[in-house]
């Protein structure tokens, strides 16, 4: 991907403001004012057909008349003239445009947007937006927006799909003392999207963490590919995760908000850390931009208050980094800096007697010793200490330790002095917060980042060409028959082609065939109606189980046919499936959907009530790697059931993992054909005994 256009729009040496205005309060006026006020050093060319000068700058009636080169244009003209103006910019050789103007796809005028992009592409020009606030960059002193001012400087950069949020967060950087290097409003993403900007940020030395506010992604697969390669942490807040929220987001940006679970899965696969709310995006982003990843699970909590220590310990468990007792040698050292009634176990409670020196010694040792991978320092403001001095001691301990690859986060609970000390620490590169939970949550983000980095090495897609060819033949036959769903027999055939063991099954069109098949398969057997018009077979009385004899087989065959006709007189009945009655096993479910943002996506969970009532399922975007399949099996809440509970033998985990991978290949290979599918139940046997797909369903995409 050519980054020139993005480079020109984010680091322009010269910028034209098209639709610049001399009328205070108008956006075209505000952009010029902001560029001047915030100290932009490049050349500014206001373009206005009537004015000769705006805010002391010479105006040009059209961009073509500006002498010399122009890197970027900020568009503040109405949507109806945008195509014309973009054409003029293209002819002038402008390589990037920030299109502030609204009135495009977000109100159903995708045609206008497409036209603008078509013209821009013709000239090799990139478009940010439309429907944006603009962009802000501290290092460039560039405020090409109608946001009031540049944010407080930081090493973190934000890309947001909501312009209003950019303005609000811009202001909040000052009250929260959490700064940003760049803030980019991405709007309708007609051209430049999240993936493009993540790619561009790789070489931006001013940015050490990329924060995203996402309402919906269009090309989720490219997002995953690009984010996976990122050399910087990426943190994303995805809105629209509730059903109601999704509807709001969809109407806001015109983009599709995919399922929350699919987004979470995709973020994991892409190595993207997820923020749970706006606060979280702020402080996790700050921490990721300042501190190295937490490479192992061992960390020490150092405190002068027992209550704070307990709160932090609880938070550690909640946020996935449970605390361990410190080894004896660490405890022995810690004991040197606390009264007898202190505790060195972890949390290291130095008690309210702790002063500057104890904080210094303890923090320094904690960072330097081999056992610890990170340190969370807590402080409660007391009358015998000065928060500023404690903060200085912590900073000195970090500096004197000389250790650069172990992260630290801090919590200061107290009044104004503590608040000031927090600000001072943040300015000096130590993420510091009020609540102990926040300090722990921030540390958990650094642990998540380290783990995600390890997991990013996926083994990718391997198409099974032979299986694919034969499966496509089965699908083509069903389509030729005018169907958009496969029968169970056909679906199982496709599963078998991809190497997934299914229960034996055959189609009987007469009572005699049913008897013959039953004998071949072996009693006990199951019989099921096969009809594209009857999807809920049990409801129609179309299933009989545990058929043990020929007489029972004859009776079942006739009863099912009778029930089916009674259920739907004109149902197209293909016959009756005669199926092996597989021995009982633990029921699991595999499913797939074609996600609007990420495409073919698979689901795994325990079957029965676990899926129906508890919705205990997990997703991954295909292709699923072995490590990801293992994660899927481990991360469902019911995972212990598969490990064997109440004296039961553990289930065949290896077989489940292999099956998830095979299922993922099937869904990936057949993504143009399969809309949805499931294998439910899959019966899983004891370790070494494998599993069997007992029922399978494949719904085809409408063509
Ligand atoms: N070339 C140069 N200037 C042109 C022009 C052209 N082809 N066509 C119009 N202009 C000038 C106008 O004369 C005017 O200047 P003036 O104040 O001197 O008269 C200026 O461009 C702006 O045009 P105007 O018609 O007055 O529009 P506006 O300022 O009321 O609104 C937008 C323009 C872009 C701000 C408005 O259409 C819009 O989209 N607003 C929403 C922005 C937004 O919310 N973005 C998303 C945030 S999340």
């Amino acid at each position: 991907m050519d980054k020139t256009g993005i480079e020109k729009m984010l680091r322009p040496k010269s910028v034209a403001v098209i639709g610049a205005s001399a009328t205070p309060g108008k956006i075209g006026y505000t952009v010029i004012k902001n560029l001047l006020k915030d100290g932009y050093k490049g050349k500014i060319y206001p373009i206005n057909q009537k004015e000769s000068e705006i805010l002391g700058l010479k105006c040009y009636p059209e961009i073509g008349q500006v002498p010399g080169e122009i890197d970027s244009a900020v568009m503040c003209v109405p949507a109806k003239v945008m195509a014309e103006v973009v054409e003029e910019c293209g002819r002038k050789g402008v390589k990037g445009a920030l299109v502030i103007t609204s009135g495009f796809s977000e109100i159903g005028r995708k045609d206008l947007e497409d036209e603008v992009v078509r013209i821009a592409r013709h000239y090799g020009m990139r478009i940010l937006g439309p429907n944006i606030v603009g962009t802000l960059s501290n290092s460039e002193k560039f405020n090409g927006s109608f946001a009031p001012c540049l944010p407080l400087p930081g090493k973190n950069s934000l890309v947001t799909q909501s312009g209003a949020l950019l303005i609000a967060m811009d202001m909040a950087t000052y009250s929260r003392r959490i700064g940003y290097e760049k803030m980019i409003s991405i709007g309708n993403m007609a051209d430049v999207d999240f993936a493009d900007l993540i790619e561009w940020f790789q070489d931006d030395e001013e940015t050490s963490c990329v924060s995203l506010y996402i309402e919906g992604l269009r090309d989720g697969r490219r997002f995953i590919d690009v984010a996976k390669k990122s050399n910087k942490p990426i943190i994303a807040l995805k809105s629209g995760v509730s059903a109601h929220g999704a509807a709001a987001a969809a109407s806001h940006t015109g983009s599709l908000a995919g399922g929350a679970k699919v987004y979470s899965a995709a973020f994991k696969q892409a190595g993207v850390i997820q923020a749970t709310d706006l606060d979280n995006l702020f402080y996790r982003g700050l921490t990721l931009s300042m501190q190295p990843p937490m490479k192992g699970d061992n960390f020490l909590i150092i405190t002068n208050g027992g209550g704070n220590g307990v709160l932090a310990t609880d938070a550690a468990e909640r946020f996935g980094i449970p605390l361990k007792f410190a080894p004896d040698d660490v405890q022995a050292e810690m004991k040197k800096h606390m009264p007898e009634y202190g505790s060195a176990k972890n949390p290291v409670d130095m008690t309210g007697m702790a002063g500057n020196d104890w904080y210094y010694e303890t923090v320094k040792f904690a960072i330097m010793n081999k056992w610890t991978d990170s340190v969370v320092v807590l402080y409660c403001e007391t009358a015998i200490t000065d928060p500023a001095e404690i903060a200085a001691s912590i900073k000195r301990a970090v500096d004197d330790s000389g250790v650069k690859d172990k992260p630290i986060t801090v919590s200061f609970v107290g009044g104004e002095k503590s608040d000031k000390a927090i600000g001072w620490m943040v300015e000096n590169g130590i993420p510091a917060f009020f609540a102990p939970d926040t300090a722990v949550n921030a540390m958990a983000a650094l642990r998540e980042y380290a783990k995600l980095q390890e997991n990013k090495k996926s083994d990718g897609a391997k198409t099974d060409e032979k299986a694919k060819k034969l499966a496509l033949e089965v699908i083509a036959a069903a389509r030729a028959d005018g169907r958009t769903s496969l029968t169970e027999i056909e679906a199982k055939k496709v599963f078998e082609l991809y190497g997934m063991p299914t229960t034996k099954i055959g189609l009987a069109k007469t009572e005699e065939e049913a008897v013959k098949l039953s004998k071949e398969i072996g009693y006990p057997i199951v019989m099921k109606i096969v009809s594209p018009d009857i999807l809920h077979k049990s409801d129609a009385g179309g299933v009989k189980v545990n058929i043990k004899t020929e007489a029972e087989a004859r009776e079942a065959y006739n009863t099912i046919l009778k029930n089916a006709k009674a259920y739907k007189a004109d149902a197209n009945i293909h016959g009756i499936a005669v199926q092996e009655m597989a021995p009982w096993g633990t029921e699991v479910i595999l499913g797939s959907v074609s996600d609007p943002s990420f495409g073919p996506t698979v689901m795994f969970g325990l079957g029965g009530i676990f899926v129906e009532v508890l919705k205990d399922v997990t997703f991954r975007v295909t292709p699923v790697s072995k490590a990801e399949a293992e994660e899927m099996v481990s991360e469902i809440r019911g995972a212990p059931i598969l490990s064997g509970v109440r004296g039961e033998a553990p289930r065949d985990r290896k077989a489940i993992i292999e099956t998830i991978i095979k299922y993922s290949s099937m869904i990936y290979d057949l993504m143009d054909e399969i809309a949805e599918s499931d294998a439910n139940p899959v019966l899983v046997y004891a370790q070494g005994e494998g599993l069997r797909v007992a029922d399978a369903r494949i719904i085809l995409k409408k063509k």
Side-chain angles (χ1 to χ4, degrees):
M1 172 74 60
D2 180 15
K3 296 185 190 170
T4 317
I6 300 178
E7 175 70 22
K8 299 267 183 197
M9 67 172 76
L10 296 182
R11 270 200 279 253
K13 302 247 177 313
S14 50
V15 60
V17 179
I18 320 246
S21 174
T23 312
K26 289 183 88 166
I27 287 182
Y29 173 88
T30 310
V31 171
I32 298 276
K33 196 181 91 189
N34 278 348
L35 287 167
L36 292 169
K37 167 180 77 71
D38 286 325
Y40 174 60
K41 296 280 181 293
K43 292 196 182 100
I44 309 167
Y45 300 107
I47 311 295
N48 182 296
Q49 289 151 337
K50 301 178 302 225
E51 310 288 342
S52 57
E53 191 186 291
I54 294 176
L55 288 165
L57 297 169
K58 180 176 161 46
C59 259
Y60 295 85
E62 56 183 57
I63 195 165
Q65 295 188 21
V66 175
E69 276 184 22
I70 300 175
D71 282 348
S72 174
V74 184
M75 308 295 207
C76 309
V77 290
K80 58 178 190 299
V81 298
M82 192 58 67
E84 184 190 312
V85 164
V86 169
E87 178 87 43
E88 286 168 15
C89 288
R91 268 192 254 122
K92 175 71 185 162
V94 172
K95 287 291 168 239
L98 312 178
V99 183
I100 289 181
T101 312
S102 303
F104 293 89
S105 65
E106 81 282 5
I107 57 152
R109 293 305 306 270
K110 183 146 187 324
D111 55 327
L112 286 182
E113 203 168 284
D114 289 347
E115 177 66 357
V116 166
V117 174
R118 190 191 59 75
I119 298 167
R121 296 235 160 103
H122 174 74
Y123 289 103
M125 175 177 166
R126 301 299 306 265
I127 298 280
L128 187 70
N131 192 25
I132 62 171
V133 166
T135 71
L136 303 107
S137 164
N138 260 312
S139 55
E140 301 294 314
K141 297 264 170 276
F142 181 79
N143 182 357
S145 82
F146 62 93
C149 54
L150 287 173
L152 182 77
K155 295 294 284 176
N156 192 0
S157 284
L158 174 80
V159 183
T160 164
Q161 226 168 334
S162 158
L165 206 61
L166 182 147
I167 300 182
M169 285 177 76
D170 179 19
M171 303 312 291
T173 58
Y174 291 92
S175 57
R176 323 196 91 218
R177 289 172 312 222
I178 293 182
Y180 283 89
E181 153 55 19
K182 290 184 178 64
M183 294 186 120
I184 299 174
S185 169
I186 200 166
N188 295 1
M189 302 191 292
D191 175 26
V192 172
D193 64 7
F194 283 105
D196 293 325
L197 291 175
I198 292 170
E199 268 183 345
W200 183 84
F201 272 120
Q202 300 308 302
D203 302 323
D204 182 27
E205 281 172 14
E206 312 301 331
T207 297
S208 55
C209 171
V210 183
S211 294
L212 312 173
Y213 166 77
I214 300 176
E215 289 178 352
L217 293 171
R218 295 236 173 74
D219 189 351
R221 286 187 171 263
R222 183 158 169 258
F223 175 85
I224 296 181
D225 288 346
V226 169
K228 243 183 188 174
K229 292 185 199 122
S230 174
N231 56 21
K232 305 182 177 177
I234 302 170
I235 176 162
L237 174 61
K238 165 76 177 83
S239 69
V241 292
S242 61
H244 197 75
S251 57
H252 183 188
T253 62
S255 64
L256 277 160
K261 286 199 170 191
V262 176
Y263 267 93
S264 295
F267 287 153
K268 262 190 204 167
Q269 288 175 278
V272 169
I273 294 145
Q274 201 167 355
T276 50
D277 53 47
L278 211 49
D279 250 338
N280 203 260
L281 183 69
F282 260 112
Y283 64 73
R284 287 192 141 200
L286 172 84
T287 310
L288 288 158
S289 75
M290 282 183 168
Q291 293 286 311
M294 176 178 164
K295 293 199 187 104
D297 288 324
N298 300 335
F299 77 110
L300 282 167
I301 294 177
I302 295 168
T303 179
N304 68 341
N308 256 7
V310 179
L311 284 174
T313 308
D314 290 348
E317 193 164 307
R318 199 161 72 241
F319 302 130
I321 44 172
L323 207 59
K324 297 176 196 157
F325 285 132
D328 291 346
D329 56 332
V330 173
Q331 289 198 30
E333 183 62 32
M334 293 298 180
K335 279 206 173 113
K336 292 183 191 161
H337 314 292
M338 63 177 63
E340 237 171 72
Y341 46 88
S343 169
K345 285 185 177 140
N346 197 19
V348 175
D349 182 2
M350 301 183 292
T351 79
M353 299 286 286
N356 303 340
D357 293 347
W358 286 1
Y359 264 101
Y360 173 80
E361 294 297 344
T362 313
V363 172
K364 192 169 120 190
F365 176 79
I367 298 174
M368 290 178 74
N369 90 86
K370 267 201 213 125
W371 182 78
T372 25
D373 297 305
S374 77
V375 186
V376 174
V377 187
L378 314 177
Y379 164 73
C380 289
E381 194 172 323
T382 65
I384 59 164
T385 52
D386 175 358
E389 286 177 17
I390 299 288
S393 302
I394 295 171
K395 165 84 174 113
R396 207 156 37 84
V398 172
D399 292 346
D400 292 353
S401 76
V403 176
K404 299 253 184 289
D405 61 349
K406 288 186 193 176
I408 178 170
T409 61
V410 174
S411 143
F412 269 35
V413 181
E416 241 171 69
K417 285 182 179 172
S418 288
D419 199 48
K420 268 200 186 131
I422 290 174
W424 182 84
M425 282 186 279
V426 172
E427 275 168 26
N428 285 281
I430 299 178
F433 312 97
F434 172 76
D437 316 48
T438 312
V440 172
N441 189 307
M443 185 57 75
L446 296 168
R447 182 71 192 116
E448 264 173 54
Y449 180 54
K451 281 192 181 163
L452 287 169
Q453 289 305 102
E454 287 161 22
N455 291 351
K456 273 201 307 196
K457 301 157 208 133
S458 117
D459 25 355
K462 282 181 219 91
T463 295
D464 184 341
E465 291 298 348
K466 193 172 155 222
K468 183 175 173 180
K469 182 172 169 285
L470 296 172
L472 286 174
E473 284 172 17
V474 174
I475 290 168
R479 286 206 191 273
D481 201 20
R483 285 181 281 128
T484 49
S485 64
L486 301 189
T487 63
E488 185 183 339
I489 296 173
E490 290 163 339
K492 278 187 169 164
K493 173 103 195 275
V494 175
F495 274 75
E496 283 279 349
L497 286 169
Y498 276 88
M500 289 170 272
T502 63
T503 45
K504 279 181 231 155
I505 192 167
L507 181 70
K509 291 190 184 269
T510 64
E511 186 180 321
E512 290 316 312
E513 277 177 17
V515 170
K516 189 167 165 265
L517 267 172
S518 302
K519 228 183 241 162
E520 279 168 22
I521 290 170
Y523 294 103
I525 54 145
V526 178
M527 284 192 196
K528 292 179 192 168
I529 190 77
V530 180
S531 164
D533 300 322
I534 305 176
L535 288 178
H536 301 287
K537 293 171 268 199
S538 300
D539 295 352
V543 181
K544 294 275 171 210
V545 299
N546 207 15
I547 300 162
K548 294 197 198 80
T549 62
E550 184 181 322
E552 282 176 18
R554 287 183 189 280
E555 195 197 326
Y557 180 88
N558 290 311
T559 312
I560 290 175
L561 268 190
K562 203 172 85 207
N563 289 348
K565 281 179 186 151
Y567 182 76
K568 199 166 192 291
D570 59 348
N572 171 11
I573 294 171
H574 290 202
I576 287 182
V578 178
Q579 187 185 317
E580 168 191 7
M581 190 158 146
W584 180 87
T586 303
E587 288 183 18
V588 302
I589 178 171
L590 288 169
S592 80
V593 287
S594 184
D595 183 83
S597 302
F598 296 98
T601 303
V602 294
M603 180 193 89
F604 166 76
L606 290 177
I609 61 155
F610 291 99
V611 55
E612 278 159 30
V613 183
L614 303 174
K615 314 240 178 298
D616 183 15
V617 290
T618 176
F619 289 82
R620 287 294 182 281
V621 176
T622 63
V624 176
S625 69
K626 184 157 181 266
E628 286 163 354
E630 278 169 357
E631 260 175 18
M632 289 178 89
V633 179
S634 307
E635 75 190 13
I636 54 167
R637 275 173 286 147
I641 292 174
L642 297 170
S643 313
V645 280
R646 296 189 166 182
E648 242 181 45
R651 304 289 96 187
D652 199 331
R653 190 184 157 87
K654 192 165 159 250
I656 301 177
I657 290 163
E658 277 167 9
T659 304
I660 292 175
I661 296 167
K662 287 173 182 166
Y663 183 56
S664 152
S665 302
M666 173 180 118
I667 299 305
Y668 183 80
D669 282 1
L670 305 175
M671 68 169 97
D672 293 336
E673 298 290 339
I674 298 182
E676 270 175 66
S677 73
D678 63 37
N680 181 25
V682 178
L683 301 167
V684 185
Y685 304 114
Q687 212 162 3
E689 290 173 23
L691 54 73
R692 216 83 70 79
V693 174
D695 201 350
R697 213 165 54 104
I698 292 179
I699 313 284
L700 301 176
K701 285 188 169 166
K702 293 202 168 68
K703 288 200 169 167

